[in-house]
Amino acid sequence: IVFARSSPLSRKLLRRGGAFSLHIVPEAKPAPEKRLSLPRAAMDWPGYALSLLLLALVTGAGFALRRVLPQEAMGLIFTAVVVGMASRHGRDVGLFTAIAGFLAWNFFFLPPVFTLSVTDPQDVVALAVFLAVGLLTGTIAGRLRIEAESARARIEMLRRIALFGRKLGRATDETGLCRLIEEEAAELGGEAAVLLADQGRLRGSTRLNEAESAAADWAFHHLVPTGAGTMTLPSVPWRFLPLATEAGPLGVLGLRPKLPLAEPRIQA
């Protein structure tokens, strides 16, 4: 039995108990608008190590050529290192490189040499420029990486759709069609099942338990995704997607991925 959370009958049944199975399904709400943001990643230790190595090499080479290279030129070289590291490893490594590079430039090349001094207004401006370059370059590079990954995912989605369209042309009956859909969905990284409707009810759900069947029925009758990764019955390990057409729902497609699926792969 499936009731909405706000149903008075569901509250009465919960208080009295009894020999029945009760599933409380929250009302489906529109998903909040997703904004492009940089994912929180683990500490990039190789990036920090590479940053220190490059700064050490640049500092050593610059100090050896200090009679040839003016201190302003060394500032540009350190800025180039900051841009490169921020572009390759992101904002955090870029800021770290900016601070470490400014300290190395200040200590080894700005008079008085071998002292750290940021009292000169020019030094303060240089530090601000280093930090701004690291922050802006790292942020822009991170966003570009996200957009590039999304573009690759969309290209892969289109490729899979084209190949799947060719496979559908070989299906001769409903059973073969369902098998092709299940095989294609299972390639996303898990188990798949197609549950078609028969007189308003889903058939072929014997492999599902009561909670999973309730999630599949809710997706079918309300035409909203349910299960893992959704707002409705998220504790169910399956994710059910309604197979809706202009003539009405045909059934649902169930996915049980081993790992969380990215949205472009779900759309595919």
Side-chain angles (χ1 to χ4, degrees), residues 119-255:
T119 57
D120 191 326
Q122 294 181 356
D123 296 345
V124 176
V125 172
L127 176 59
V129 170
F130 270 55
L131 294 179
V133 168
L135 178 62
L136 293 177
T137 306
T139 301
I140 294 174
R143 291 181 181 274
L144 290 177
R145 282 199 300 270
I146 293 176
E147 293 177 359
E149 292 174 359
S150 299
R152 285 194 294 268
R154 287 192 291 268
I155 293 174
E156 176 65 15
M157 175 189 70
L158 294 175
R159 186 188 69 84
R160 294 183 67 91
I161 291 176
L163 293 177
F164 183 54
R166 297 177 184 177
K167 294 180 181 179
L168 289 179
R170 299 197 299 264
T172 57
D173 53 16
E174 181 181 285
T175 302
L177 179 62
C178 291
R179 184 172 63 254
L180 285 175
I181 296 175
E182 290 180 355
E183 291 175 354
E184 182 69 18
E187 290 183 3
L188 294 175
E191 188 177 357
V194 176
L195 309 178
L196 297 179
D198 184 10
Q199 297 182 354
R201 301 187 63 180
L202 295 177
R203 53 185 173 88
S205 59
T206 55
R207 60 199 297 184
L208 307 176
N209 58 33
E210 294 183 3
E212 295 165 352
S213 297
D217 289 335
W218 187 271
F220 172 68
H221 291 291
H222 294 82
L223 300 181
V224 294
T226 61
T230 69
M231 301 290 290
T232 305
L233 293 176
S235 60
V236 174
W238 288 76
R239 181 167 182 170
F240 296 101
L241 306 173
L243 302 176
T245 65
E246 295 181 357
L250 299 179
V252 297
L253 170 64
L255 297 173

Side-chain angles (χ1 to χ4, degrees), residues 78-92:
F78 279 114
T79 303
V81 174
V82 172
V83 171
M85 293 304 301
S87 301
R88 180 64 180 84
H89 292 275
R91 180 180 54 189
D92 294 340

